Amino acid sequence: MNLFRIFLTAFLIDNVVLMRFIALCPFIGMSTDENKSIGMGLAVTFVTVLATCVTWPIYKFILEPLGIVFLQILVFILVIAALVQLVEYYLKKAIPSLYKAMGIYLALITTNCGILAVTFDVISNGYSLIESIVYAVGVAMGFLLSMLLLAGIRARLKTSPVPAFLKGTPVLFAATALLSIAFMGFKGLVQ
């Protein structure tokens, strides 16, 4: 039951984008349609889970025992950057259309603070490796969900009469704020 609670909390209750306001750059930039949202969400999921699987043991078995925890940020960023390079290389060879569609946002996964936040959260929450992986999957799926929701809203906004002063990014942030308010309803779901 504890694993389900960890997943549900990461996925809905403390959604990385809608409740913590982390990773807004790819959230706004790559949610123009469902396909881009799914591609970015899956790439972020892969990097997040793999980064958690790599950084947790590095922290527990190298940084902590050697007393060099102060290198945590540097090491975690290097691991995430290396994993993003792997994803970028794979997409370039296997799915060139998605690679082209993601453009600069693919490289920006390296600086996606949501991924870095997950690697820090699992350490600060004292999760085991299995709990850490479940948390990482929950956060990544929550990111994907929020991107798909905004992509759906953006599709509706294309045909809606939006006042000129709200067109573009302002209406996206207003829609995101309303989505965040809706997600606040999940706060009491897990006690």
Side-chain angles (χ1 to χ4, degrees), residues 101-125:
M102 289 179 130
I104 188 68
Y105 291 101
L106 183 58
L108 286 177
I109 293 175
T110 303
T111 60
N112 185 335
C113 50
I115 297 170
L116 191 59
V118 169
T119 61
F120 290 150
D121 286 348
V122 297
I123 300 299
S124 65
N125 290 334

Side-chain angles (χ1 to χ4, degrees), residues 72-145:
Q72 178 182 7
I73 294 172
L74 176 67
V75 171
F76 286 12
I77 288 174
L78 288 173
V79 167
I80 292 167
L83 293 172
V84 170
Q85 290 301 308
L86 287 173
V87 169
E88 190 171 354
Y89 178 74
Y90 173 76
L91 289 179
K92 190 174 188 178
K93 295 292 181 192
I95 314 171
S97 59
L98 182 58
Y99 174 79
K100 196 175 251 186
M102 289 179 130
I104 188 68
Y105 291 101
L106 183 58
L108 286 177
I109 293 175
T110 303
T111 60
N112 185 335
C113 50
I115 297 170
L116 191 59
V118 169
T119 61
F120 290 150
D121 286 348
V122 297
I123 300 299
S124 65
N125 290 334
Y127 289 151
S128 68
L129 181 59
I130 299 299
E131 290 171 333
S132 298
I133 293 169
V134 168
Y135 180 79
V137 169
V139 168
M141 290 294 106
F143 177 77
L144 176 59
L145 173 68

Side-chain angles (χ1 to χ4, degrees), residues 12-89:
L12 287 177
I13 299 167
D14 289 331
N15 184 285
V16 70
V17 176
L18 300 173
M19 296 309 297
R20 296 176 68 191
F21 299 104
I22 299 175
L24 289 176
C25 179
F27 172 70
I28 296 294
M30 288 300 295
S31 60
T32 54
D33 67 49
E34 289 84 5
N35 291 333
K36 285 183 183 178
S37 297
I38 291 170
M40 176 59 91
L42 293 177
V44 167
T45 300
F46 177 77
V47 172
T48 303
V49 172
L50 206 53
T52 301
C53 290
V54 172
T55 57
W56 189 89
I58 287 174
Y59 182 86
K60 291 292 184 186
F61 300 121
I62 298 173
L63 299 178
E64 202 172 45
L66 293 177
I68 53 173
V69 177
F70 61 90
L71 292 175
Q72 178 182 7
I73 294 172
L74 176 67
V75 171
F76 286 12
I77 288 174
L78 288 173
V79 167
I80 292 167
L83 293 172
V84 170
Q85 290 301 308
L86 287 173
V87 169
E88 190 171 354
Y89 178 74

